[in-house]
RNA sequence: GGGGACGUAGUUCAGUUGGUUAGAACGCUGCCCUGUCACGGCAGAGGUCGCUAGUUCGAGUCUCGUCGUCCCCGCCA
């Protein structure tokens, strides 16, 4: 028997046709001599009718059918007397003449419906059942369409998709590597790529000119809602680019990817300097869908108050519209949250219609309370939130970062985030180095091939913290989609940077030997970017976790509950690799 | 590595101050039902209260530990 139609795709126009549909039993409604089966396939659900009087054989078989049985139905599409507006196929039904039960099924651990709220643990363990639900299915379909559109767009712009090795070399920088032991070379390991960074730069040296790849990357770090140990990037590199050329390419790709999801993205994407993002939004990935800009208000705290409140460094504040209704208890909770994200203290001014009250008026005086509210442009009904940081962090505004976190929380809590907006943003002007509290030294803020702003080159040796990189980040609605840079293509500058990072000749050879060699054979100016596609699809699908747009996601402990990986392996396998397990 | 939330029937949850036989809904099983569509009606089955140790006359409930899931900080050049 050959399937003639997707059952979920049948419509009025099919009325009168004899069809064969195949799918799963979504629901059975047995009225005795009349029995209905809702049959589900990729396209949706259709109602099938079995009549004992006219088709006793088919009816008898339908009585055996249970949830998630796999069936084939032969029948005639007919218009219904009374339609069901809830279903896309609601105006027709299939009058069954024959039913084949192709396979039976155990009762599923949860019902295959969109509005069922099974625990994520159960959904991941039985992912094949979860995927039968329309929503996960639609998310994967959207992912496919977005990736397809990206490939088309990149191809049209002259980019070649080139595959790079999955078994490559470990680099000590950056994230922890996933290691793969070599059988042929005992005691040696491949690493799965954290990104194809070096390979794509070598492709530019190789004259490919325009490269892209939709590629899996691997990082052995702790997980989050938007971080999985393996994730998919759109990796791009081009030769002889100006920064604006790369931006234009990515804007074209993103506009078309968004269009696939019915989202209109405006170009060009606005730009913002890193330092402005920190000072105005307290974040290196500001969510621009709402206001509540930060203001530095250190002046409103006299020396005496600072001492009492143990304020170190600056104080940052913002006005939260509608926050004046917050109760004492809510403010206490807010203070707790602030402390949890690194605040020394949080200070509030309520601009209620019946008067202005503040938790710090006694300490700073009425004039300074006014100064505070004026600085934030607060209006009646607002809550002014000011915070100081627990510790000073070299080279950044620690208080602004704390205020930025509260801004996000309050923006969400006070319903100020306009979910219909799609706010892309380019961030530029990143510092080349950042202070490492662990190592007590300046370390590369991005990978060590990131270009250096020309006028800052001379400060490389004298004032490294002032050196800006040619790096940039793409942000959408407060989510970092990716980052890239114009690279260093001259070996003399590369050497100066390595030196500034305190790397010895020997360390450079050991870590980047082959790449440093390649740089000396006529490297063109080049640059690129990598975007996290799981996050792109997540946002466009309206999901809060990238697990919702990944077919087989892992838990926060990096476990695949369905495949039960990772797992132990046979001793023989370990012996071949020359590996012994050390007991903990 | 640290903080928080959660873990009770197949599923989602309720469970009082520690007290008799641990409940509900959905799902499941059987029977009845010719226009249902979250069908309806009747009857029924289904529990290692994550695991472990302890406190107690008595633990789903309290305590220690442990395992698992989620969120956050650190981490993610």
């Amino acid at each position: 028997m050959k399937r003639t139609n997707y059952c979920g795709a049948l419509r009025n126009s099919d009325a009168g046709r004899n069809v064969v549909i195949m799918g799963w039993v979504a629901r059975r409604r047995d009225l005795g001599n009349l029995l209905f089966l809702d049959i589900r396939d990729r396209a949706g659900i259709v109602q099938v009718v079995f009549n004992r009087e006219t088709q006793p054989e088919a009816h008898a078989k339908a009585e055996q059918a249970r949830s998630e049985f796999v069936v084939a139905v032969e029948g005639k599409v007919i218009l219904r007397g009374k339609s069901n507006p809830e279903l896309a196929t609601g105006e027709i039904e299939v009058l069954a003449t024959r039913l084949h039960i192709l396979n039976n099924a155990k009762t599923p651990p949860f019902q295959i419906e969109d509005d069922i709220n099974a625990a994520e643990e159960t959904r991941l363990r039985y992912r094949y059942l979860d995927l039968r639900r329309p929503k996960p299915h639609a998310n994967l379909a959207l992912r496919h369409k977005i990736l397809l559109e990206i490939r088309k767009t990149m191809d049209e712009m002259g980019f070649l998709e080139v595959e790079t090795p999955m078994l490559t070399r470990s680099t000590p920088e950056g994230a922890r590597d996933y290691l793969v032991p070599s059988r042929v070379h005992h005691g040696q390991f491949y690493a799965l790529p954290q990104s194809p960074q070096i390979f794509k730069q070598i492709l530019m040296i190789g004259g490919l000119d325009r490269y892209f790849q939709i590629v899996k990357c691997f990082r052995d770090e702790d997980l989050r809602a938007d971080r999985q140990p393996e994730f998919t990037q759109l990796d791009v590199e081009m030769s002889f680019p100006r920064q604006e050329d790369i931006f234009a390419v990515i804007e074209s790709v993103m506009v078309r990817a968004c269009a696939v999801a019915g989202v209109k993205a405006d170009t060009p994407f606005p730009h913002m300097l890193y330092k402005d993002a920190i000072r105005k939004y307290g974040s290196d990935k500001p969510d621009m869908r709402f206001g509540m800009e930060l203001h530095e208000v250190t002046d409103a705290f006299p020396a005496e108050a600072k001492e009492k409140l143990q304020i170190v460094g600056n104080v940052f504040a913002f006005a939260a519209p509608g926050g004046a209704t917050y109760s004492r208890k809510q403010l206490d909770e807010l203070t707790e949250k602030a402390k949890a994200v690194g605040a020394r203290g949080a200070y509030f001014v309520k601009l209620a219609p019946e008067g202005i009250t503040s938790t710090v008026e006694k300490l700073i005086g009425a004039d300074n309370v006014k100064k505070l509210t004026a600085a934030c442009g607060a209006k009646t009904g607002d809550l002014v939130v000011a915070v100081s940081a627990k510790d000073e962090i070299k080279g950044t505004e620690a208080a602004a970062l704390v205020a930025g976190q509260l801004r996000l929380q309050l923006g969400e809590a006070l319903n100020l985030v306009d979910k219909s907006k799609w706010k892309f943003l380019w961030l530029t002007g990143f510092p080349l180095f950042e202070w490492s509290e662990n190592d007590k030294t300046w370390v590369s803020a991005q990978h060590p091939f990131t270009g250096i702003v020309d006028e800052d080159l001379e400060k490389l040796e004298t004032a490294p913290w002032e050196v800006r990189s040619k790096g940039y980040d793409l942000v959408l609605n407060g989510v970092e989609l990716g980052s890239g840079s114009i690279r260093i293509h001259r070996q003399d500058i590369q050497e100066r940077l390595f030196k500034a990072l305190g790397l010895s000749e020997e360390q450079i050879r050991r870590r980047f030997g082959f790449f440093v060699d390649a740089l000396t054979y006529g490297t063109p100016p080049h640059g690129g970017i990598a975007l996290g596609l799981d996050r792109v699809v997540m946002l466009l699908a309206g999901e809060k976790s990238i697990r919702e747009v990944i077919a087989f996601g892992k838990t926060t402990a990096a476990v695949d509950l369905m495949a039960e990986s990772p797992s132990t392996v046979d001793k023989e396998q370990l012996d071949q690799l020359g590996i012994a397990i050390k007991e903990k």
Side-chain angles (χ1 to χ4, degrees):
Chain A
M1 203 166 11
K2 184 186 177 329
R3 176 169 69 180
T4 62
N5 294 76
Y6 277 128
C7 62
L10 293 171
R11 294 294 181 270
N12 299 17
S13 52
D14 296 306
R17 290 182 56 189
N18 287 311
V19 296
V20 176
I21 57 174
M22 299 188 183
W24 286 263
V25 174
R27 189 163 251 122
R28 185 179 63 130
R29 288 179 296 279
D30 186 354
L31 277 65
N33 290 327
L34 200 61
L35 190 152
F36 299 92
L37 292 183
D38 288 346
I39 306 300
R40 177 195 339 102
D41 65 16
R42 201 177 89 172
I45 282 177
V46 76
Q47 172 168 285
V48 180
V49 202
F50 295 87
N51 190 317
R52 178 174 280 160
E53 236 168 55
T54 57
Q55 300 292 342
E57 254 177 63
H59 182 274
K61 274 196 183 160
E63 282 187 316
Q64 306 300 311
R66 291 294 181 272
S67 278
E68 302 312 312
F69 277 27
V70 186
V71 298
V73 176
E74 210 178 303
K76 190 176 186 179
V77 179
I78 55 171
L79 288 170
R80 293 207 207 177
K82 200 172 90 191
S83 64
N84 179 358
E86 301 290 314
L87 283 180
T89 58
E91 293 187 17
I92 49 104
E93 64 189 356
V94 176
L95 181 59
T97 51
R98 283 164 69 188
L99 173 72
H100 296 274
I101 292 177
L102 302 176
N103 208 346
N104 55 11
K106 291 210 290 194
T107 301
F110 54 90
Q111 285 163 263
I112 316 293
E113 287 172 7
D114 242 354
D115 51 356
I116 221 74
N117 56 335
E120 195 170 0
E121 195 176 344
T122 318
R123 293 178 50 208
L124 286 176
R125 181 158 282 133
Y126 299 94
R127 187 65 164 149
Y128 38 89
L129 298 178
D130 192 41
L131 289 173
R132 287 185 201 160
R133 296 164 62 230
K135 183 68 183 173
H137 207 115
N139 284 347
L140 290 185
L142 178 67
R143 184 184 178 114
H144 161 75
K145 283 184 186 149
I146 289 170
L147 265 55
L148 182 64
E149 186 69 11
I150 288 174
R151 282 206 164 92
K152 273 199 243 168
T153 311
M154 295 306 289
D155 174 60
E156 284 168 24
M157 291 189 292
F159 287 82
L160 300 184
E161 181 159 23
V162 180
E163 290 167 281
T164 51
M166 287 289 113
L167 295 175
T168 177
R169 187 191 166 84
S170 177
T171 53
E173 282 75 21
R176 261 186 298 273
D177 286 316
Y178 276 99
L179 295 178
V180 180
S182 163
R183 176 183 56 82
V184 182
H185 304 278
H186 267 216
Q188 295 189 29
F189 296 83
Y190 300 97
L192 302 179
Q194 297 176 25
S195 83
Q197 185 61 39
I198 286 176
F199 287 106
K200 70 173 172 175
Q201 289 191 245
I202 286 178
L203 288 174
M204 293 303 102
I205 300 173
L208 268 288
D209 195 73
R210 290 188 155 205
Y211 144 93
F212 86 101
Q213 188 180 189
I214 292 179
V215 61
K216 275 283 184 76
C217 301
F218 306 86
R219 294 179 190 174
D220 188 3
E221 296 292 344
D222 288 344
L223 275 46
R224 288 283 192 284
D226 61 354
R227 279 169 22 192
Q228 285 271 300
E230 51 179 310
F231 58 99
T232 305
Q233 284 195 340
L234 168 62
D235 197 42
V236 177
E237 196 77 7
M238 51 202 286
S239 293
F240 312 107
R242 299 166 303 167
Q243 179 180 281
E244 52 265 43
D245 297 326
I246 293 166
F247 286 10
V249 163
I250 294 304
E251 288 178 14
S252 299
V253 170
M254 288 312 300
V255 164
R256 287 180 56 173
C258 287
V260 166
V263 168
K264 194 180 172 300
D266 295 322
T267 53
F269 299 162
H271 295 200
M272 189 183 290
L273 291 172
Y274 169 78
K275 63 170 196 251
D276 290 337
I278 298 294
R279 292 187 67 88
K280 288 184 182 166
Y281 298 96
S283 170
D284 57 1
K285 44 181 181 178
D287 190 339
M288 304 297 289
R289 290 174 298 174
F290 64 107
M292 281 172 44
E293 279 188 30
L294 311 184
H295 304 273
E296 204 222 295
V297 294
T298 319
D299 286 355
F301 290 77
E304 201 181 307
K306 274 187 170 172
E307 201 170 306
K308 277 212 171 121
L309 297 168
Q310 296 177 288
I311 291 174
V312 293
N314 293 333
V315 181
F316 275 80
F318 62 93
T325 57
Y326 266 43
S327 66
R328 177 78 230 182
K329 192 182 159 210
Q330 282 173 301
L331 294 186
D332 287 345
E333 282 168 5
L334 212 50
T335 305
E336 281 311 302
K337 279 180 187 169
K339 286 184 175 165
V341 292
R344 169 82 55 190
Y347 327 108
F348 303 102
V349 184
K350 272 199 222 179
L351 288 84
E354 56 274 14
I356 295 174
T357 54
S358 172
T359 54
V360 285
E361 182 161 1
K362 274 187 194 147
L363 276 170
I364 66 173
D367 283 351
N368 279 318
V369 170
K370 260 183 215 158
K371 207 192 255 184
L372 235 179
T373 57
C376 297
K379 298 184 195 67
T380 303
D382 291 2
L383 173 72
V384 172
V385 180
V387 291
S388 61
K390 204 174 292 171
D391 303 298
E392 284 185 277
I393 302 170
K394 238 180 196 174
T396 190
E397 294 282 8
L401 296 178
V402 174
Q405 303 248 30
L406 293 187
R407 171 183 175 269
L408 287 178
Q409 285 186 8
L410 280 167
E412 195 69 42
L414 294 167
N415 226 349
L416 300 169
V417 185
D418 184 343
K419 307 275 181 179
S420 70
K421 285 186 177 167
W422 296 85
K423 292 289 191 181
F424 282 96
L425 187 66
W426 288 111
L427 263 96
T428 60
F430 288 93
L432 190 68
F433 299 99
E434 64 188 9
W435 182 254
S436 166
E437 204 51 46
N438 282 344
D439 308 336
K440 305 288 177 199
T441 179
W442 294 96
V443 298
S444 196
Q446 290 127 52
H447 61 73
F449 316 114
T450 304
I452 300 163
V453 168
D454 299 350
E455 14 343 343
D456 292 355
L457 263 176
E458 61 203 42
K459 296 184 198 156
L460 198 52
E461 288 81 15
T462 54
W465 54 91
E466 284 180 20
V467 176
R468 290 163 297 165
S469 81
K470 286 182 179 171
Y472 33 80
D473 276 10
L474 179 62
V475 173
L476 171 57
N477 292 353
V479 174
E480 186 197 318
L481 289 187
S483 64
S485 63
I486 302 291
R487 324 294 181 190
I488 298 171
H489 66 280
R490 279 175 38 188
Q491 63 264 37
D492 57 332
I493 294 174
Q494 187 68 64
E495 275 167 27
R496 278 173 68 188
L497 175 62
F498 281 147
K499 210 166 276 175
L501 285 169
L503 292 178
S504 70
E505 198 69 38
E506 192 264 328
Q507 285 171 313
I508 295 166
R509 279 240 61 83
R510 192 160 46 83
R511 297 181 190 181
F512 312 112
F514 74 105
F515 181 64
V516 175
D517 281 348
L519 277 181
T520 62
Y521 286 96
T523 302
H526 61 287
I529 192 168
L531 300 184
L533 290 183
D534 307 285
R535 289 180 185 176
V536 170
V537 180
M538 171 187 80
L539 291 172
L540 290 174
E543 296 289 359
K544 288 209 162 63
S545 161
I546 62 172
R547 284 187 301 272
E548 297 295 341
V549 298
I550 292 173
F552 303 102
K554 293 183 175 63
T555 69
T556 48
V559 168
D560 181 334
L561 291 173
M562 185 190 73
E564 296 181 303
S565 69
S567 66
T568 56
V569 296
D570 293 341
K571 189 171 177 301
E572 290 71 41
Q573 283 180 288
L574 289 176
D575 286 346
Q576 284 195 343
L577 297 167
I579 290 179
I581 306 297
K582 232 162 109 183
E583 292 304 322
K584 257 196 176 172

